[in-house]
Amino acid sequence: MNHNSPSYTIQEHGCRDCGACEMSVAQQAFVDREIRRHRQVTICRLMLLVLLLALWELAADMHWIDSFIFSSPTMIAKCLFNMTKDGSLFLHTGVTLLETLISFAVCTFFGLACALLLWSSKSVAQILEPFLVLLNSLPKSALAPLLIVWLGNNMRTIVVAAVSVAVFGSILTLYTGFSQMDTEKITLIYSLGGKRKDVLLKVLLPGSLPLVISNMKVNIGLCLVGVIIGDGVRIGAKILLAHQTDPGLNINKLHQVWSVFLNPSCTF
């Protein structure tokens, strides 16, 4: 058959068009399946959340759990509604944001400075690295009550608690990244008569910029977690102390603690 004949060309194009149609249909079927799967996953998540909240509320209403300790979804919702109504929620949001930003700035600056110190002195790094690993492995939530006792019930304590959550891991991460910097570039700087300052400014910091930015992204989340932990412990300590002093006082106030954990902007 002559491949240049019009009939062959039309037939060939027809086959190609059919193949394109079949590919399009297959792709559309795949997209439809993914949409249905995503919708089913979303519905299952919502149903599971509603079920857990309903069981929590039922357990509190039926006195299967102590509502003073565990609170209930309706009590937490009322607390958040009242705080929104009187405007205190927005005030607490600002306080939480301020504490998080301060702790983030301190953690970023202190972590970078300590990592540079360890990189600049191998002896200092060998001395301090075991202690940093030990401090990083400590449960930070257990330190929060001690920090309140040591530093008092104030914003400074919350900032220190937030910094303690992130700073030691930040130092170790940055120091490890600095230690793995390209040695050939460093050797080239020294061979051209450069100093350690030139290595720092022209190789280490520019080459570690992605690492520093990635570390900052992790730190902002950890600082927020630290603020929430500190505020939760602080509020819980105040309420439990008041309850022990006068059992009839603040008997239904522990839902404020749950509000802190369920809504990070609620600090008191």
Side-chain angles (χ1 to χ4, degrees):
M1 178 182 292
N2 185 6
H3 289 185
N4 295 323
S5 63
S7 60
Y8 178 83
T9 303
I10 294 174
Q11 184 179 3
E12 183 181 20
H13 281 280
C15 293
R16 288 179 180 176
D17 291 341
C18 292
C21 293
E22 291 177 0
M23 288 294 294
S24 178
V25 171
Q27 290 176 353
Q28 186 63 38
F30 174 77
V31 171
D32 293 339
R33 287 196 303 269
E34 288 298 311
I35 293 176
R36 285 196 301 269
R37 187 184 65 82
H38 180 71
R39 191 176 300 161
Q40 291 172 355
V41 170
T42 303
I43 293 174
C44 290
R45 288 175 178 174
L46 293 175
M47 292 176 61
L48 180 60
L49 177 61
V50 172
L51 177 62
L52 291 176
L53 293 176
L55 290 176
W56 186 3
E57 183 69 31
L58 179 63
D61 292 341
M62 299 299 293
H63 302 289
W64 296 340
I65 59 176
D66 189 349
S67 59
F68 171 73
I69 301 296
F70 296 97
S71 189
S72 68
T74 55
M75 294 172 63
I76 297 172
K78 290 179 182 178
C79 176
L80 294 176
F81 176 77
N82 293 331
M83 291 176 62
T84 304
K85 187 176 180 180
D86 60 21
S88 61
L89 179 63
F90 306 105
L91 173 63
H92 300 318
T93 301
V95 174
T96 299
L97 181 61
L98 178 61
E99 292 172 341
T100 303
L101 292 178
I102 292 175
S103 58
F104 172 69
V106 172
C107 180
T108 301
F109 175 79
F110 191 73
L112 184 59
C114 290
L116 290 174
L117 174 63
L118 297 178
W119 170 81
S120 63
S121 177
K122 191 173 182 180
S123 299
V124 174
Q126 291 176 344
I127 293 172
L128 295 182
E129 188 173 7
F131 295 98
L132 291 173
V133 173
L134 177 63
L135 291 172
N136 187 48
S137 63
L138 291 177
K140 308 307 185 300
S141 57
L143 291 177
L146 295 177
L147 292 176
I148 292 176
V149 173
W150 293 339
L151 302 177
N153 189 4
N154 48 49
M155 181 182 291
R156 179 182 58 181
T157 302
I158 304 303
V159 171
V160 172
V163 170
S164 67
V165 171
V167 68
F168 302 114
S170 175
I171 294 173
L172 292 173
T173 300
L174 292 176
Y175 170 65
T176 302
F178 292 165
S179 301
Q180 296 175 350
M181 189 56 57
D182 191 354
T183 56
E184 294 183 357
K185 293 182 180 179
I186 297 176
T187 303
L188 178 61
I189 292 292
Y190 284 132
S191 65
L192 295 175
K195 305 295 183 181
R196 198 167 186 82
K197 181 181 70 174
D198 299 317
V199 175
L200 174 64
L201 298 178
K202 298 181 180 179
V203 177
L204 186 68
L205 292 181
S208 301
L209 187 60
L211 173 65
V212 174
I213 294 176
S214 176
N215 189 63
M216 292 172 64
K217 292 179 181 178
V218 175
N219 287 344
I220 188 66
L222 292 178
C223 289
L224 178 60
V225 170
V227 169
I228 296 172
I229 291 174
D231 282 324
V233 172
R234 182 177 66 174
I235 299 167
K238 290 170 61 177
I239 294 175
L240 290 176
L241 180 60
H243 178 62
Q244 289 180 353
T245 304
D246 184 0
L249 182 65
N250 290 334
I251 191 66
N252 293 321
K253 295 296 184 180
L254 202 63
H255 55 273
Q256 293 180 351
V257 181
W258 286 98
S259 298
V260 172
F261 294 106
L262 296 180
N263 183 4
S265 64
C266 297
T267 57
F268 301 86

